[in-house]
Amino acid sequence: MTLQERDYAVIWHPFTHQKNRKPPMPIVKGQGTLLFDEAGNQYIDAISSWWVTIHGHGNRYIAERLYKQALTLEQVIFAGFTHEPAVSLAERLLPILPNNFSRIFYSDNGSTSTEVAIKMSLQYWWNEKALTVNGLPLTEGGDQRSTVNGQRTKLLAFKDAYHGDTFGAMSVSDRSVFTLAFHDKLFEVLFIDTPNETNIEELKELINNEGDAIAAFIYEPLVQGAGGMRMYEAQWMDELLKTVKAQDIICIADEVMTGFGRTGKLFASEYMTEKPDIICMSKGLTGGTMALGVTACTDRIYQAYLSDDKMKTFFHGHSFTANPLACTAALASMDLLLKEECLGKIQWISEENKLFATKLSTLHSRLSTKNIRVLGTIIAFEIDEGKDEYLNDIATSITQKALELGVYIRPLGNTVYIMPPYCITKEELEKVYETILMMID
Ligand SMILES: *Cc1c(COP(=O)(O)O)cnc(C)c1O
């Protein structure tokens, strides 16, 4: 049996309609920006394998660090124990994050990093309002504590948001066909539009009215990824954040996609002067080699958990919390990312993207592309064909066509985007652009 046939018999793939599914492509090797299939064909991975592979595939430096760590300590329980990679990574992350963050909480993917942030901020308000008798916890009637008057319990999020697939993360994400089967199980969230010149005053008014009931505001800074690479401007986001912060609402920046250079800066939150209280990271964190999630918080959040009341403990963790291999991969990825060479490549891709966007827009009417936008290493536009549907078949045909030309892209509905590994060469990037032009034709 071929790999495809064996797969067909036993595997259930993510985000994949299973009936009449096309056989998945067997990939046997990855090197730099290239993926190789069984037949020896090569494809430029122009979306960094779902936005994670920032230094390319098969990176020798990361691989060697992983190998050494695997022989030293591959895993250990993280409650009551610690290890060098976890501590070193926290020490290296904290100073480069866009605010004065004081604590790193580990989990194991992007969804769990946002899930942790949601729980952390809800419990922050619960802890603040938690009833104690003479400084001692109420051991009975725990239920009463969750209905304390005046406790903030609402969450604020953007329409078209995507924060992951676990229940909390789904709740604060856009309600769509992807979450339809669970709508009655998702908690209530106040959804607002992303800010712009025309709606900013209205948004500020709404937040000023509802503010004292809102526990936290979760947002993807400047680019809504899975929602269709929708971009919005830092200027209006700053105004919105100012209002949100004035209402004492905890700000959670979901930088799972935007972190580690994607938007041209190390973190997209750097584009705003108003900074988050909690920041979520994953995807590029380990250079795309291992699953790891990080939720960082400021001291204000952490202090709410420092109490003699044991009920104020943050009861959350995963078997693979702070896995030493994953932390080591993140440390190695950070070495590579912070080198002049890599930071320079990020700027170079950003400049090339701008030039290509200009070129695309001059061909606009002929190519029926619209809404061409760039932020750092991300470029996105819609192929105009009537409907804006994620389930649209156009994505499949574009993917197929591009593959035939040696480039892997995976449009979100009719939204075509590229998000290449930073190690992409001049020739490869040109090939990606040319493929897009040919494909549109
Ligand atoms: C991908 C993504 C997530 C979910 O991360 P997973 O590792 O896939 O669970 C959350 N938030 C954003 C902004 C993402 O792009």
Side-chain angles (χ1 to χ4, degrees):
M1 283 208 291
T2 66
L3 191 59
Q4 281 180 333
E5 286 163 347
R6 285 162 55 208
D7 174 289
Y8 209 79
V10 295
I11 304 284
W12 187 346
H13 285 271
F15 295 112
T16 305
H17 184 63
Q18 291 293 296
K19 183 117 194 257
N20 303 328
R21 62 194 186 276
K22 289 213 180 73
M25 184 189 294
I27 292 297
V28 294
K29 186 181 152 74
Q31 195 60 60
T33 54
L34 299 175
L35 292 170
F36 297 85
D37 71 10
E38 279 183 326
N41 298 313
Q42 60 183 56
Y43 309 95
I44 298 172
D45 183 357
I47 63 156
S48 301
S49 279
W50 250 347
W51 324 341
V52 302
T53 312
I54 59 177
H55 304 301
H57 298 278
N59 185 282
R60 183 162 289 279
Y61 178 71
I62 299 178
E64 279 169 2
R65 292 276 301 265
L66 274 175
Y67 175 70
K68 281 194 198 119
Q69 185 61 42
L71 292 173
T72 310
L73 178 69
E74 82 302 334
Q75 164 69 358
V76 65
I77 176 175
F78 204 60
F81 289 83
T82 193
H83 52 80
E84 182 65 36
V87 177
S88 293
L89 180 57
E91 286 170 348
R92 282 195 79 179
L93 275 174
L94 287 172
I96 64 165
L97 294 180
N99 198 359
N100 286 320
F101 288 94
S102 79
R103 298 284 153 174
I104 295 292
F105 191 95
Y106 288 110
S107 59
D108 46 23
N109 61 67
S111 302
T112 54
S113 77
T114 57
E115 199 78 29
V116 164
I118 292 163
K119 286 176 73 173
M120 201 180 256
S121 50
L122 286 174
Q123 195 184 334
Y124 168 91
W125 294 108
W126 189 85
N127 281 4
E128 291 282 286
K129 287 277 180 181
L131 295 178
T132 51
V133 176
N134 299 329
L136 296 170
L138 278 185
T139 44
E140 286 177 59
D143 285 345
Q144 291 165 358
R145 293 171 42 134
S146 62
T147 57
V148 177
N149 275 346
Q151 184 192 323
R152 296 176 182 233
T153 54
K154 270 195 205 166
L155 286 162
L156 180 68
F158 282 139
K159 290 174 191 162
D160 298 309
Y162 180 74
H163 298 291
D165 282 347
T166 51
F167 267 87
M170 260 198 296
S171 291
V172 291
S173 298
D174 191 41
R175 300 296 199 293
S176 69
V177 288
F178 286 73
T179 53
L180 199 55
F182 315 105
H183 280 185
D184 61 335
K185 302 288 185 291
L186 302 181
F187 55 72
E188 221 184 297
V189 171
L190 189 58
F191 286 105
I192 56 172
D193 287 313
T194 51
N196 57 44
E197 187 176 0
T198 43
N199 69 7
I200 186 69
E201 291 309 320
E202 197 184 314
L203 293 178
K204 280 158 75 171
E205 196 184 316
L206 185 134
I207 287 157
N208 285 331
N209 289 338
E210 306 269 343
D212 59 3
I214 299 172
F217 171 39
I218 184 164
Y219 56 93
E220 294 158 272
L222 302 188
V223 199
Q224 297 186 284
M229 293 300 151
R230 292 162 192 260
M231 298 186 186
Y232 57 96
E233 284 173 42
Q235 180 191 352
W236 307 115
M237 186 55 178
D238 237 345
E239 286 233 4
L240 185 68
L241 285 175
K242 216 171 275 166
T243 309
V244 169
K245 299 206 104 177
Q247 290 292 325
D248 212 20
I249 296 165
I250 295 170
C251 292
I252 305 170
D254 177 354
E255 296 243 18
V256 169
M257 182 193 79
T258 50
F260 306 99
R262 246 324 144 203
T263 66
K265 292 189 188 278
L266 271 187
F267 295 93
S269 292
E270 290 171 32
Y271 286 99
M272 273 75 72
T273 47
E274 297 294 328
K275 303 297 187 216
D277 306 290
I278 296 180
I279 183 166
C280 308
M281 292 157 267
S282 187
K283 292 204 164 106
L285 171 62
T286 61
T289 54
M290 301 278 302
L292 182 66
V294 161
T295 309
C297 72
T298 57
D299 209 45
R300 170 197 172 193
I301 308 294
Y302 185 64
Q303 288 298 326
Y305 290 83
L306 284 183
S307 164
D308 292 326
D309 184 349
K310 286 189 177 160
M311 304 277 275
K312 294 187 181 178
T313 304
F314 190 48
F315 292 111
H316 187 103
H318 301 276
S319 312
F320 288 101
T321 292
N323 172 258
L325 292 175
C327 291
T328 298
L331 283 165
S333 175
M334 200 96 72
D335 287 347
L336 299 174
L337 178 68
L338 298 178
K339 276 192 181 143
E340 285 288 315
E341 188 193 343
C342 187
L343 296 174
K345 281 298 284 287
I346 292 171
Q347 293 318 313
W348 169 75
I349 297 168
S350 306
E351 288 308 313
E352 292 294 311
N353 271 348
K354 277 187 215 154
L355 294 175
F356 183 62
T358 311
K359 190 167 168 185
L360 262 182
S361 60
T362 58
L363 302 169
H364 180 166
S365 55
R366 188 168 71 83
L367 296 172
S368 67
T369 55
K370 62 173 183 184
N371 197 13
I372 304 156
R373 52 205 183 269
V374 174
L375 188 64
T377 69
I378 309 168
I379 180 165
F381 60 91
E382 275 73 43
I383 292 205
D384 211 347
E385 42 70 74
K387 346 169 222 165
D388 284 341
E389 261 287 325
Y390 191 106
L391 298 180
N392 216 311
D393 253 0
I394 195 165
T396 322
S397 51
I398 292 173
T399 303
Q400 196 48 46
K401 192 84 217 149
L403 275 178
E404 284 161 21
L405 298 168
V407 174
Y408 176 56
I409 52 174
R410 190 180 199 271
L412 297 153
N414 66 334
T415 302
V416 177
Y417 68 91
I418 59 170
M419 201 186 284
Y422 307 149
C423 63
I424 194 165
T425 64
K426 192 171 191 313
E427 293 71 32
E428 287 169 338
L429 190 57
E430 267 163 20
K431 179 166 180 185
V432 172
Y433 291 151
E434 271 164 31
T435 301
I436 285 178
L437 289 176
M438 280 158 74
M439 187 195 67
I440 298 170
D441 274 343

Short mmCIF file of all heavy atoms in Angstrom, two decimals, residues 51 109-112 114 162-165 220 225-226 254 256-257 282-283, ligand 1:
data_model
loop_
_atom_site.label_atom_id
_atom_site.label_comp_id
_atom_site.label_asym_id
_atom_site.label_seq_id
_atom_site.Cartn_x
_atom_site.Cartn_y
_atom_site.Cartn_z
N TRP A 51 2.01 28.80 9.26
CA TRP A 51 2.51 30.01 9.92
C TRP A 51 3.51 29.75 11.04
O TRP A 51 3.74 30.61 11.88
CB TRP A 51 1.33 30.87 10.46
CG TRP A 51 0.11 30.88 9.59
CD1 TRP A 51 0.05 30.53 8.25
CD2 TRP A 51 -1.22 31.25 9.93
NE1 TRP A 51 -1.22 30.67 7.77
CE2 TRP A 51 -2.03 31.10 8.78
CE3 TRP A 51 -1.81 31.69 11.11
CZ2 TRP A 51 -3.40 31.37 8.77
CZ3 TRP A 51 -3.17 31.97 11.11
CH2 TRP A 51 -3.96 31.81 9.95
N ASN A 109 0.35 24.73 23.13
CA ASN A 109 0.01 25.17 21.76
C ASN A 109 -0.68 26.53 21.82
O ASN A 109 -0.83 27.10 22.91
CB ASN A 109 -0.85 24.12 21.04
CG ASN A 109 -2.17 23.87 21.75
OD1 ASN A 109 -3.02 24.74 21.80
ND2 ASN A 109 -2.32 22.69 22.30
N GLY A 110 -1.08 27.03 20.67
CA GLY A 110 -1.67 28.36 20.63
C GLY A 110 -3.01 28.43 21.34
O GLY A 110 -3.29 29.37 22.09
N SER A 111 -3.86 27.43 21.11
CA SER A 111 -5.18 27.42 21.75
C SER A 111 -5.06 27.40 23.27
O SER A 111 -5.79 28.09 23.98
CB SER A 111 -5.99 26.19 21.30
OG SER A 111 -6.14 26.18 19.91
N THR A 112 -4.13 26.59 23.78
CA THR A 112 -3.99 26.54 25.24
C THR A 112 -3.39 27.84 25.77
O THR A 112 -3.71 28.25 26.88
CB THR A 112 -3.15 25.34 25.71
OG1 THR A 112 -1.89 25.35 25.04
CG2 THR A 112 -3.85 24.03 25.46
N THR A 114 -4.11 30.81 24.70
CA THR A 114 -5.22 31.77 24.84
C THR A 114 -6.20 31.30 25.92
O THR A 114 -6.76 32.11 26.67
CB THR A 114 -5.98 32.01 23.51
OG1 THR A 114 -6.47 30.78 23.02
CG2 THR A 114 -5.08 32.64 22.48
N TYR A 162 -9.98 34.82 15.55
CA TYR A 162 -9.67 33.39 15.74
C TYR A 162 -8.64 33.27 16.85
O TYR A 162 -7.54 33.82 16.76
CB TYR A 162 -9.12 32.74 14.47
CG TYR A 162 -8.81 31.27 14.69
CD1 TYR A 162 -9.85 30.34 14.80
CD2 TYR A 162 -7.50 30.83 14.87
CE1 TYR A 162 -9.58 29.00 15.05
CE2 TYR A 162 -7.23 29.48 15.11
CZ TYR A 162 -8.26 28.58 15.21
OH TYR A 162 -8.00 27.25 15.46
N HIS A 163 -9.00 32.54 17.91
CA HIS A 163 -8.08 32.37 19.03
C HIS A 163 -7.83 30.92 19.37
O HIS A 163 -7.19 30.63 20.38
CB HIS A 163 -8.60 33.13 20.26
CG HIS A 163 -8.72 34.61 20.04
ND1 HIS A 163 -7.61 35.42 19.88
CD2 HIS A 163 -9.80 35.43 19.89
CE1 HIS A 163 -8.01 36.68 19.68
NE2 HIS A 163 -9.33 36.71 19.67
N GLY A 164 -8.36 30.00 18.56
CA GLY A 164 -8.08 28.59 18.78
C GLY A 164 -9.33 27.73 18.82
O GLY A 164 -10.45 28.23 18.64
N ASP A 165 -9.14 26.46 19.07
CA ASP A 165 -10.22 25.48 18.92
C ASP A 165 -10.70 24.84 20.22
O ASP A 165 -11.58 23.99 20.18
CB ASP A 165 -9.78 24.38 17.95
CG ASP A 165 -9.88 24.87 16.51
OD1 ASP A 165 -10.49 25.93 16.28
OD2 ASP A 165 -9.36 24.19 15.61
N GLU A 220 -6.26 39.92 18.27
CA GLU A 220 -5.10 39.64 17.45
C GLU A 220 -4.60 41.01 16.99
O GLU A 220 -5.28 41.68 16.22
CB GLU A 220 -5.48 38.81 16.23
CG GLU A 220 -5.98 37.40 16.53
CD GLU A 220 -6.83 36.85 15.38
OE1 GLU A 220 -8.06 37.08 15.38
OE2 GLU A 220 -6.28 36.19 14.49
N GLY A 225 -5.74 36.65 11.56
CA GLY A 225 -5.20 35.62 10.68
C GLY A 225 -6.24 34.72 10.04
O GLY A 225 -6.64 34.92 8.89
N ALA A 226 -6.72 33.73 10.80
CA ALA A 226 -7.64 32.74 10.24
C ALA A 226 -8.94 33.39 9.75
O ALA A 226 -9.61 32.85 8.87
CB ALA A 226 -7.94 31.67 11.29
N ASP A 254 -3.25 38.37 21.56
CA ASP A 254 -3.00 37.03 21.03
C ASP A 254 -1.99 37.18 19.89
O ASP A 254 -2.36 37.47 18.75
CB ASP A 254 -4.32 36.41 20.54
CG ASP A 254 -4.11 35.03 19.91
OD1 ASP A 254 -2.95 34.61 19.75
OD2 ASP A 254 -5.12 34.39 19.57
N VAL A 256 -0.09 34.78 18.81
CA VAL A 256 0.25 33.43 18.39
C VAL A 256 0.74 33.43 16.93
O VAL A 256 1.73 32.79 16.59
CB VAL A 256 -0.94 32.46 18.57
CG1 VAL A 256 -0.70 31.13 17.89
CG2 VAL A 256 -1.20 32.24 20.06
N MET A 257 0.06 34.19 16.07
CA MET A 257 0.51 34.27 14.68
C MET A 257 1.48 35.43 14.46
O MET A 257 2.46 35.30 13.74
CB MET A 257 -0.68 34.45 13.74
CG MET A 257 -0.23 34.48 12.28
SD MET A 257 -1.52 35.05 11.16
CE MET A 257 -1.46 36.80 11.40
N SER A 282 2.87 31.22 20.43
CA SER A 282 3.07 29.80 20.07
C SER A 282 3.68 29.80 18.67
O SER A 282 4.66 30.50 18.44
CB SER A 282 1.76 29.02 20.14
OG SER A 282 2.01 27.66 19.95
N LYS A 283 3.09 29.10 17.73
CA LYS A 283 3.53 29.06 16.32
C LYS A 283 5.05 29.27 16.12
O LYS A 283 5.81 28.34 16.24
CB LYS A 283 2.70 30.02 15.51
CG LYS A 283 1.25 29.54 15.41
CD LYS A 283 0.51 30.07 14.21
CE LYS A 283 -0.75 29.28 13.98
NZ LYS A 283 -2.00 29.94 14.33
C1 LIG B 1 -3.22 29.50 15.15
C2 LIG B 1 -3.74 30.47 16.13
C3 LIG B 1 -4.22 30.05 17.39
C4 LIG B 1 -4.31 28.61 17.77
O1 LIG B 1 -3.05 28.01 17.85
P1 LIG B 1 -2.95 26.40 17.76
O2 LIG B 1 -1.52 26.12 18.08
O3 LIG B 1 -3.32 26.05 16.35
O4 LIG B 1 -3.89 25.84 18.75
C5 LIG B 1 -4.63 31.03 18.27
N1 LIG B 1 -4.58 32.33 17.95
C6 LIG B 1 -4.13 32.76 16.76
C7 LIG B 1 -4.08 34.23 16.48
C8 LIG B 1 -3.70 31.86 15.80
O5 LIG B 1 -3.29 32.28 14.61
#
